[in-house]
Amino acid sequence: MIEIKNLKKNYGKFVAIEDFNLEIKEGKTYGILGRINSGGTTIFNVLCNYTFKDDGTVLIDGKEPEDAKIYMCPKMEFYDGYTLRQVLKNISNFNSDFDLSYALELCDSFKLDLDKKFKVEENVQNCTIFKTVVTICMNKKYLLFNKPEIGLSSLDIRKLSDILIGNFKRNGYTPIIHSKNVNYFFDYLDYIIIIKDKKVALFESREKLEK
């Protein structure tokens, strides 16, 4: 279970998250909906230990984030100038839980050019697909997908969603999707979480919301 209590994170004078509380149980699919600067990305970064909280408690199965089996693909800007094949090999070298062969298979199915030097600003679509593929292929208990719809066609969103949920059913991980439009993924989710004013405004099951 992921437990977040009274989380606070500032970037200078900007308050990203304040007095934020949330509990997520394993084995379900979650969608987090929030506008720009709502705090969703900050929460993901704290959970993956990419940034440090200013205050509050964050535990993943009773452990601190740095010791937990959780993953989100970091910003692709770190890999500017490398080929996607080089990026995959680097990720594989540093993560024993990464399924490189499956990642190569998925990249091929989306017709990604693995041997072309990568530039984030040149192709947002490929960047989104690649980050989502990398996350799907990481054998962790909790997988975080940050805005996996950016730059994609509805067809690509559906294809990635089918793969994501297919692996969820086979491998039993807990996917958490942060999106500006949860409607893209609504049919795949067990729970919807809405963030407003830096806090959880709604936490409800999809079944109840449908009714």
Side-chain angles (χ1 to χ4, degrees):
M1 182 169 69
I2 296 175
E3 301 172 85
I4 303 174
K5 297 180 181 178
N6 304 317
L7 177 63
K8 181 178 180 180
K9 175 63 184 177
N10 296 341
Y11 295 99
K13 294 182 179 180
F14 175 72
V15 179
I17 284 292
E18 187 171 32
D19 194 28
F20 187 87
N21 296 276
L22 181 64
E23 286 190 0
I24 290 179
K25 296 180 180 179
E26 63 184 272
K28 300 293 183 181
T29 57
Y30 296 85
I32 296 179
L33 175 64
R35 295 180 177 178
I36 295 175
N37 293 329
S38 64
T41 299
T42 296
I43 293 164
F44 276 16
N45 283 330
V46 171
L47 286 172
C48 291
N49 211 37
Y50 295 159
T51 191
F52 301 114
K53 59 184 171 59
D54 292 326
D55 200 3
T57 301
V58 177
L59 295 175
I60 304 168
D61 294 331
K63 300 178 181 179
E64 297 291 332
E66 62 266 27
D67 300 317
K69 290 183 71 64
I70 191 167
Y71 183 81
M72 175 180 70
C73 188
K75 290 182 177 181
M76 291 303 296
E77 284 82 359
F78 296 135
Y79 301 117
D80 260 5
Y82 291 88
T83 67
L84 294 182
R85 193 179 304 277
Q86 289 174 320
V87 175
L88 288 175
K89 287 183 178 178
N90 286 338
I91 292 172
S92 180
N93 288 338
F94 286 98
N95 294 274
S96 59
D97 293 323
F98 184 64
D99 190 339
L100 177 59
S101 60
Y102 187 41
L104 290 169
E105 178 187 328
L106 290 180
C107 287
D108 183 62
S109 75
F110 283 97
K111 296 180 171 53
L112 298 184
D113 186 349
L114 296 179
D115 296 308
K116 181 181 178 181
K117 287 189 176 180
F118 185 75
K119 290 290 183 183
V120 173
E121 67 275 7
E122 290 180 2
N123 199 320
V124 175
Q125 178 186 18
N126 285 356
C127 178
T128 298
I129 292 172
F130 187 76
K131 287 174 63 178
T132 305
V133 164
V134 166
T135 305
I136 288 172
C137 294
M138 197 66 68
N139 184 25
K140 299 288 187 181
K141 189 172 182 179
Y142 302 94
L143 295 181
L144 311 183
F145 298 87
N146 192 30
K147 302 171 187 173
E149 76 283 357
I150 292 179
L152 300 190
S153 67
S154 58
L155 184 63
D156 281 337
I157 291 172
R158 176 65 64 175
K159 183 177 178 179
L160 278 173
S161 298
D162 286 342
I163 294 169
L164 189 161
I165 296 303
N167 281 324
F168 157 69
K169 292 178 178 178
R170 286 192 296 271
N171 301 327
Y173 62 77
T174 300
I176 307 170
I177 301 170
H178 171 226
S179 173
K180 292 187 293 184
N181 190 345
V182 171
N183 287 332
Y184 289 128
F185 312 99
F186 188 81
D187 292 340
Y188 300 92
L189 301 174
D190 293 313
Y191 291 95
I192 310 296
I193 301 163
I194 295 178
I195 302 176
K196 184 178 180 182
D197 298 328
K198 321 296 182 182
K199 300 178 183 180
V200 174
L202 176 73
F203 190 143
E204 192 58 86
S205 70
R206 175 174 58 88
E207 184 178 338
K208 287 188 177 180
L209 289 176
E210 284 179 329
K211 292 179 180 178

